[in-house]
Amino acid sequence: DMTGDVGLVRELYPVLDEIVDAHVRGTRYNIHVDPADGLLYAGEAGVQLTWMDAKVGNRVVTPRIGKPVEINALWLNAATTMAKFARALGHSPDCYEDLAQRARTGFERFWNHGTQFCFDVIDGPRGPDDNDPVLRPNQIFTVSLPESPLTFARQRSVVDICARELLTSYGLRSLGPKESAYQGTYAGGPDERDGAYHQGTTWGWLLGPFAIAH
């Protein structure tokens, strides 16, 4: 976007194409695109895959098996970016536009009409409609990334709830303070700290996406 460096796009395109194709075909840890809704599924028991990756002994604190909201926001943006790259190189963007449209349509399933913000993970280990309604900051990427799957009203609702419940002077809380698993103190030994790591602890790196979304 900033330099118009088509030469770099031409160099990277085959590798990026293979990365996207591997996700469509499926790879380890049950990472694959669900043909039913075009969304990216990831995870299996005993493995922590997303950035919320704390583990205490054999217990994964926040397993997030299923379709995590930020992973699918990134997946949509990967597809739209590849379509743009394809056009810049004179290739057909059809396959990427199809992936993007399927993901954009499937993303409707993330919206929780009861809370007016996104489920954190949908289609969990118990199957379809095993959706996690807890308030986490991961949904901010549905607004901060260039391509948003949400309407403007829903984007505003996401930003408002994150500002009201998660925003601190130092970053965003990793879990809403009204949630039952919330831990307001990050302290103690390794097990205690890892147990609180993504259950309320504030993360500074999320301020950037929040500011862009705001």
Side-chain angles (χ1 to χ4, degrees):
D1 284 346
M2 302 305 291
T3 68
D5 189 350
V6 177
L8 180 60
V9 173
R10 185 174 293 108
E11 179 183 344
L12 296 178
Y13 188 85
V15 179
L16 300 176
D17 180 67
E18 175 58 27
I19 290 171
V20 172
D21 188 51
H23 282 71
V24 173
R25 293 196 316 267
T27 183
R28 62 180 179 171
Y29 305 129
N30 204 15
I31 298 170
H32 65 278
V33 173
D34 185 343
D37 57 14
L39 298 175
L40 202 61
Y41 183 100
E44 57 187 31
V47 179
Q48 66 278 35
L49 285 184
T50 71
W51 77 275
M52 291 188 159
D53 59 354
K55 192 173 184 180
V56 178
N58 291 323
R59 179 175 70 92
V60 177
V61 180
T62 52
R64 305 184 74 223
I65 296 171
K67 299 166 183 172
V69 65
E70 80 281 13
I71 299 300
N72 279 284
L74 288 163
W75 175 245
L76 170 61
N77 276 264
T80 56
T81 299
M82 287 300 289
K84 181 178 180 179
F85 287 170
R87 287 191 292 269
L89 297 176
H91 302 325
S92 171
D94 291 354
C95 65
Y96 293 115
E97 289 180 343
D98 180 61
L99 285 175
Q101 185 54 48
R102 289 168 59 209
R104 190 179 290 108
T105 301
F107 219 96
E108 174 67 26
R109 301 185 56 232
F110 275 102
W111 190 251
N112 186 335
H113 292 275
T115 63
Q116 289 297 293
F117 57 82
C118 292
F119 288 110
D120 187 55
V121 182
I122 62 173
D123 295 351
R126 292 188 294 272
D129 299 323
D130 176 14
N131 303 333
D132 187 355
V134 299
L135 176 60
R136 293 192 182 276
N138 302 300
Q139 61 189 303
I140 201 68
F141 292 95
T142 66
V143 187
S144 67
L145 290 168
E147 185 75 20
S148 176
L150 304 179
T151 65
F152 181 79
R154 289 180 177 181
Q155 292 179 51
R156 181 170 184 167
S157 185
V158 165
V159 172
D160 285 349
I161 190 65
C162 288
R164 188 166 63 248
E165 300 289 339
L166 302 180
L167 181 64
T168 75
S169 300
Y170 299 98
L172 297 187
R173 296 182 178 97
S174 47
L175 184 66
K178 296 176 183 176
E179 301 292 348
S180 61
Y182 176 78
Q183 296 190 46
T185 303
Y186 177 75
D191 288 356
E192 288 80 10
R193 294 198 307 273
D194 284 348
Y197 212 34
H198 302 298
Q199 299 289 61
T201 299
T202 291
W203 289 77
W205 73 277
L206 293 167
L207 273 179
F210 176 82
I212 292 169
H214 195 280

mmCIF file of all heavy atoms in Angstrom, residues 76 79-80 95-105:
data_model
loop_
_atom_site.group_PDB
_atom_site.id
_atom_site.type_symbol
_atom_site.label_atom_id
_atom_site.label_comp_id
_atom_site.label_asym_id
_atom_site.label_seq_id
_atom_site.Cartn_x
_atom_site.Cartn_y
_atom_site.Cartn_z
ATOM 1 N N LEU A 76 -9.914 -13.649 7.021
ATOM 2 C CA LEU A 76 -10.623 -12.823 6.047
ATOM 3 C C LEU A 76 -9.672 -11.812 5.415
ATOM 4 O O LEU A 76 -9.674 -11.610 4.190
ATOM 5 C CB LEU A 76 -11.792 -12.103 6.719
ATOM 6 C CG LEU A 76 -12.489 -11.020 5.899
ATOM 7 C CD1 LEU A 76 -13.104 -11.594 4.630
ATOM 8 C CD2 LEU A 76 -13.544 -10.305 6.737
ATOM 9 N N ALA A 79 -7.280 -13.415 2.899
ATOM 10 C CA ALA A 79 -7.920 -13.702 1.613
ATOM 11 C C ALA A 79 -8.098 -12.437 0.778
ATOM 12 O O ALA A 79 -7.828 -12.437 -0.434
ATOM 13 C CB ALA A 79 -9.267 -14.386 1.845
ATOM 14 N N THR A 80 -8.537 -11.346 1.413
ATOM 15 C CA THR A 80 -8.736 -10.102 0.658
ATOM 16 C C THR A 80 -7.405 -9.525 0.188
ATOM 17 O O THR A 80 -7.306 -8.966 -0.914
ATOM 18 C CB THR A 80 -9.492 -9.060 1.497
ATOM 19 O OG1 THR A 80 -8.799 -8.821 2.731
ATOM 20 C CG2 THR A 80 -10.902 -9.541 1.814
ATOM 21 N N CYS A 95 -10.344 -17.186 -6.780
ATOM 22 C CA CYS A 95 -10.317 -18.155 -5.685
ATOM 23 C C CYS A 95 -10.205 -17.452 -4.345
ATOM 24 O O CYS A 95 -10.838 -17.869 -3.358
ATOM 25 C CB CYS A 95 -9.182 -19.157 -5.878
ATOM 26 S SG CYS A 95 -7.523 -18.456 -5.803
ATOM 27 N N TYR A 96 -9.446 -16.370 -4.294
ATOM 28 C CA TYR A 96 -9.295 -15.634 -3.034
ATOM 29 C C TYR A 96 -10.537 -14.823 -2.702
ATOM 30 O O TYR A 96 -10.933 -14.705 -1.539
ATOM 31 C CB TYR A 96 -8.064 -14.733 -3.093
ATOM 32 C CG TYR A 96 -6.790 -15.523 -3.144
ATOM 33 C CD1 TYR A 96 -5.971 -15.474 -4.259
ATOM 34 C CD2 TYR A 96 -6.415 -16.353 -2.088
ATOM 35 C CE1 TYR A 96 -4.810 -16.223 -4.321
ATOM 36 C CE2 TYR A 96 -5.260 -17.111 -2.141
ATOM 37 C CZ TYR A 96 -4.460 -17.039 -3.252
ATOM 38 O OH TYR A 96 -3.319 -17.788 -3.322
ATOM 39 N N GLU A 97 -11.156 -14.272 -3.729
ATOM 40 C CA GLU A 97 -12.399 -13.541 -3.489
ATOM 41 C C GLU A 97 -13.495 -14.479 -2.984
ATOM 42 O O GLU A 97 -14.313 -14.097 -2.140
ATOM 43 C CB GLU A 97 -12.835 -12.812 -4.762
ATOM 44 C CG GLU A 97 -11.936 -11.621 -5.092
ATOM 45 C CD GLU A 97 -12.364 -10.903 -6.354
ATOM 46 O OE1 GLU A 97 -13.142 -11.497 -7.144
ATOM 47 O OE2 GLU A 97 -11.909 -9.761 -6.567
ATOM 48 N N ASP A 98 -13.470 -15.723 -3.490
ATOM 49 C CA ASP A 98 -14.427 -16.717 -3.014
ATOM 50 C C ASP A 98 -14.167 -17.061 -1.548
ATOM 51 O O ASP A 98 -15.107 -17.138 -0.747
ATOM 52 C CB ASP A 98 -14.352 -17.974 -3.873
ATOM 53 C CG ASP A 98 -15.328 -19.049 -3.408
ATOM 54 O OD1 ASP A 98 -16.546 -18.797 -3.426
ATOM 55 O OD2 ASP A 98 -14.871 -20.139 -3.008
ATOM 56 N N LEU A 99 -12.899 -17.269 -1.189
ATOM 57 C CA LEU A 99 -12.559 -17.545 0.214
ATOM 58 C C LEU A 99 -12.999 -16.393 1.112
ATOM 59 O O LEU A 99 -13.552 -16.607 2.194
ATOM 60 C CB LEU A 99 -11.047 -17.752 0.362
ATOM 61 C CG LEU A 99 -10.454 -19.063 -0.134
ATOM 62 C CD1 LEU A 99 -8.929 -19.020 -0.016
ATOM 63 C CD2 LEU A 99 -11.012 -20.250 0.648
ATOM 64 N N ALA A 100 -12.748 -15.169 0.656
ATOM 65 C CA ALA A 100 -13.103 -13.994 1.450
ATOM 66 C C ALA A 100 -14.613 -13.869 1.616
ATOM 67 O O ALA A 100 -15.105 -13.592 2.713
ATOM 68 C CB ALA A 100 -12.534 -12.729 0.806
ATOM 69 N N GLN A 101 -15.350 -14.084 0.531
ATOM 70 C CA GLN A 101 -16.800 -13.947 0.610
ATOM 71 C C GLN A 101 -17.413 -15.006 1.515
ATOM 72 O O GLN A 101 -18.329 -14.723 2.292
ATOM 73 C CB GLN A 101 -17.419 -14.012 -0.781
ATOM 74 C CG GLN A 101 -18.925 -13.744 -0.798
ATOM 75 C CD GLN A 101 -19.271 -12.421 -0.129
ATOM 76 O OE1 GLN A 101 -18.656 -11.382 -0.417
ATOM 77 N NE2 GLN A 101 -20.249 -12.442 0.776
ATOM 78 N N ARG A 102 -16.901 -16.234 1.436
ATOM 79 C CA ARG A 102 -17.410 -17.294 2.306
ATOM 80 C C ARG A 102 -17.123 -16.976 3.764
ATOM 81 O O ARG A 102 -17.966 -17.171 4.642
ATOM 82 C CB ARG A 102 -16.794 -18.629 1.913
ATOM 83 C CG ARG A 102 -17.317 -19.178 0.574
ATOM 84 C CD ARG A 102 -16.465 -20.334 0.096
ATOM 85 N NE ARG A 102 -16.444 -21.414 1.075
ATOM 86 C CZ ARG A 102 -15.432 -22.271 1.230
ATOM 87 N NH1 ARG A 102 -14.349 -22.156 0.482
ATOM 88 N NH2 ARG A 102 -15.489 -23.219 2.131
ATOM 89 N N ALA A 103 -15.917 -16.477 4.056
ATOM 90 C CA ALA A 103 -15.569 -16.118 5.434
ATOM 91 C C ALA A 103 -16.408 -14.947 5.911
ATOM 92 O O ALA A 103 -16.876 -14.927 7.063
ATOM 93 C CB ALA A 103 -14.083 -15.773 5.525
ATOM 94 N N ARG A 104 -16.624 -13.966 5.042
ATOM 95 C CA ARG A 104 -17.421 -12.789 5.420
ATOM 96 C C ARG A 104 -18.858 -13.189 5.737
ATOM 97 O O ARG A 104 -19.450 -12.727 6.719
ATOM 98 C CB ARG A 104 -17.384 -11.764 4.286
ATOM 99 C CG ARG A 104 -17.966 -10.412 4.657
ATOM 100 C CD ARG A 104 -17.872 -9.442 3.499
ATOM 101 N NE ARG A 104 -16.507 -9.037 3.213
ATOM 102 C CZ ARG A 104 -15.799 -9.422 2.168
ATOM 103 N NH1 ARG A 104 -16.338 -10.246 1.265
ATOM 104 N NH2 ARG A 104 -14.568 -8.995 1.980
ATOM 105 N N THR A 105 -19.412 -14.084 4.922
ATOM 106 C CA THR A 105 -20.779 -14.566 5.172
ATOM 107 C C THR A 105 -20.827 -15.407 6.443
ATOM 108 O O THR A 105 -21.723 -15.245 7.283
ATOM 109 C CB THR A 105 -21.269 -15.396 3.977
ATOM 110 O OG1 THR A 105 -21.246 -14.585 2.801
ATOM 111 C CG2 THR A 105 -22.683 -15.908 4.211
#
